[in-house]
Amino acid sequence: MSLMASDSGGGDFKPAPAGVHTGRCYRVIDLGTQSEIYRATGEKKVARKVLIGWELTNEDADGQPVLNDDGKPFVIASRYTLSLHKKAKLRADLEAWRGRQFTDEELRGFDLQKLVGAYCLINVTHSTNNGKVYANVASFTPLPGKMPKPEPVNANQFFNVHEPDMQMFETFSNGIKDKIRACAEWQKGGPVASADGPSNGDDDDNIPF
């Protein structure tokens, strides 16, 4: 089943190094409908959320690959509200990633499953909170056409709460599992029918998705 975005109105892990990396999207995880309290205003908001993750490829000054302690590429993720509204961060990041704006047709229903396996350049920055350093996705640009695409390392993952792959679910971190279990769809007793719109194709080979 597709996962559509539309214009409808930390831990103890070692952070990815700051700088520009080649990124490959290897996971899109539907977190379902979440209720959150915004600290600044105390306002409660309910929205569908999605987690998008990338594996990062970079080299040090000696031309050696920059890897995590387990010998694999660093990974990074961002959480978004599932919306392509003109003010939505998801829309801004995807348009920067693909290097062009969405068409009106795409805005009526864009299937996020298209992101899995797509490459880009990601600018990673660091921030500090309570003595811990966190890696953040600062910006995206399209991967230049002649730039090599590193071989995939992490298995591709696409997870939708309406048709949950429970084997995949068991591979998630406890934090992601808890977030999914807390969503409205899970609390109602399991998957429900999806109201996703149609998926749209793309005829431009230069657009990553």
Side-chain angles (χ1 to χ4, degrees), residues 43-124:
E43 180 183 5
K44 179 180 179 180
K45 292 189 176 182
V46 178
R48 186 87 172 268
K49 298 290 183 177
V50 61
L51 182 80
I52 302 175
W54 300 264
E55 59 182 21
L56 305 175
T57 304
N58 203 348
E59 294 181 348
D60 60 21
D62 297 322
Q64 298 301 310
V66 178
L67 302 173
N68 210 333
D69 293 338
D70 59 3
K72 293 184 177 181
F74 281 91
V75 296
I76 197 168
S78 282
R79 193 174 64 154
Y80 298 92
T81 296
L82 188 64
S83 170
L84 292 182
H85 184 271
K86 62 183 179 180
K87 295 183 179 180
K89 188 175 187 299
L90 178 61
R91 177 172 172 176
D93 281 357
L94 293 185
E95 289 184 337
W97 179 351
R98 73 205 305 246
R100 78 170 199 189
Q101 295 182 335
F102 284 105
T103 65
D104 290 341
E105 182 181 2
E106 288 171 328
L107 288 173
R108 286 192 286 271
F110 180 78
D111 187 356
L112 295 189
Q113 191 166 3
K114 293 180 179 181
L115 304 181
V116 180
Y119 289 81
C120 59
L121 293 179
I122 301 179
N123 183 23
V124 176

Side-chain angles (χ1 to χ4, degrees), residues 11-184:
D12 295 325
F13 296 103
K14 186 177 179 181
V20 177
H21 303 255
T22 299
R24 185 186 76 89
C25 179
Y26 75 99
R27 67 184 347 186
V28 173
I29 300 176
D30 180 9
L31 299 176
T33 303
Q34 301 283 336
S35 298
E36 297 180 337
I37 304 295
Y38 283 69
R39 293 182 181 179
T41 62
E43 180 183 5
K44 179 180 179 180
K45 292 189 176 182
V46 178
R48 186 87 172 268
K49 298 290 183 177
V50 61
L51 182 80
I52 302 175
W54 300 264
E55 59 182 21
L56 305 175
T57 304
N58 203 348
E59 294 181 348
D60 60 21
D62 297 322
Q64 298 301 310
V66 178
L67 302 173
N68 210 333
D69 293 338
D70 59 3
K72 293 184 177 181
F74 281 91
V75 296
I76 197 168
S78 282
R79 193 174 64 154
Y80 298 92
T81 296
L82 188 64
S83 170
L84 292 182
H85 184 271
K86 62 183 179 180
K87 295 183 179 180
K89 188 175 187 299
L90 178 61
R91 177 172 172 176
D93 281 357
L94 293 185
E95 289 184 337
W97 179 351
R98 73 205 305 246
R100 78 170 199 189
Q101 295 182 335
F102 284 105
T103 65
D104 290 341
E105 182 181 2
E106 288 171 328
L107 288 173
R108 286 192 286 271
F110 180 78
D111 187 356
L112 295 189
Q113 191 166 3
K114 293 180 179 181
L115 304 181
V116 180
Y119 289 81
C120 59
L121 293 179
I122 301 179
N123 183 23
V124 176
T125 59
H126 284 175
S127 61
T128 304
N129 186 21
N130 294 327
K132 290 186 178 180
V133 177
Y134 295 89
N136 309 290
V137 175
S139 61
F140 296 91
T141 53
L143 190 72
K146 294 183 179 180
M147 192 168 180
K149 295 179 179 179
E151 289 295 320
V153 175
N154 291 286
N156 289 342
Q157 294 182 329
F158 179 78
F159 182 85
N160 192 310
V161 296
H162 293 291
E163 293 181 352
D165 180 334
M166 295 309 297
Q167 284 188 318
M168 183 182 296
F169 178 83
E170 291 302 324
T171 70
F172 297 159
S173 68
N174 289 333
I176 293 177
K177 287 180 183 177
D178 289 344
K179 184 61 82 172
I180 293 172
R181 291 189 185 108
C183 76

